[in-house]
Amino acid sequence: MEEKKVLIVDDQNGIRILLMEVFSSEGYKTFQAANGKMALEIVRSDSPDLVLLDMKIPGMDGLEILKHIKEVNPAIKVIMMTAYGELDMIKEATELGALRHFTKPFDIDEMRMAVNMELKGGAVL
């Protein structure tokens, strides 16, 4: 089976490193981007299976990045991360195709289970 690819998009280096370690140890090929431009370059060149996308990123925000990801490849799964309870943005993200969202600080095990469920199949919510 082909190795599944996870792209982590967050402007906070610590979060990117933590998530890369977690998902590398789960057997995924991981990519990271600190901004929307880098994220979209990776989406175009490496076509990740799933993107963990921070809602608040300087420059291009999460919703804008999400729209572009879905334009490039509608099949890419996206899970949003947010530091605030931005319900209107979360609703819009869901309408744009985000599967779910995690509020920071999130439970890393819950995040891991959600990603595994999306990429390895299994129980459906």
Side-chain angles (χ1 to χ4, degrees):
M1 200 173 105
E2 190 187 329
E3 191 177 31
K4 297 279 189 185
K5 295 179 272 193
V6 175
L7 168 60
I8 296 142
V9 185
D10 198 306
D11 59 320
Q12 294 178 344
N13 191 42
I15 290 177
R16 289 197 316 273
I17 288 169
L18 170 71
L19 292 173
M20 295 224 4
E21 284 176 6
V22 168
F23 294 113
S24 293
S25 70
E26 288 289 310
Y28 299 114
K29 182 170 180 155
T30 56
F31 301 88
Q32 63 169 320
N35 58 52
K37 186 175 181 293
M38 282 170 61
L40 294 171
E41 284 172 12
I42 293 168
V43 164
R44 289 188 188 99
S45 63
D46 294 287
S47 197
D49 298 287
L50 186 139
V51 179
L52 292 169
L53 178 57
D54 189 26
M55 194 80 85
K56 286 280 188 203
I57 293 183
M60 199 185 303
D61 75 8
L63 290 175
E64 205 177 327
I65 298 167
L66 174 60
K67 284 177 194 164
H68 289 300
I69 289 170
K70 290 297 184 178
E71 282 167 13
V72 173
N73 182 351
I76 293 174
K77 297 177 177 192
V78 180
I79 294 177
M80 303 300 291
M81 300 180 290
T82 172
Y84 323 93
E86 301 134 333
L87 289 174
D88 52 336
M89 284 180 81
I90 290 163
K91 183 174 179 287
E92 189 177 344
T94 305
E95 287 166 3
L96 290 168
L99 299 169
R100 58 174 74 201
H101 76 279
F102 283 88
T103 304
K104 294 176 183 174
F106 44 77
D107 180 316
I108 197 67
D109 286 326
E110 280 180 33
M111 171 84 74
R112 192 171 42 80
M113 287 190 307
V115 169
N116 283 336
M117 198 181 78
E118 294 300 340
L119 293 180
K120 295 179 178 170
V124 179
L125 291 180

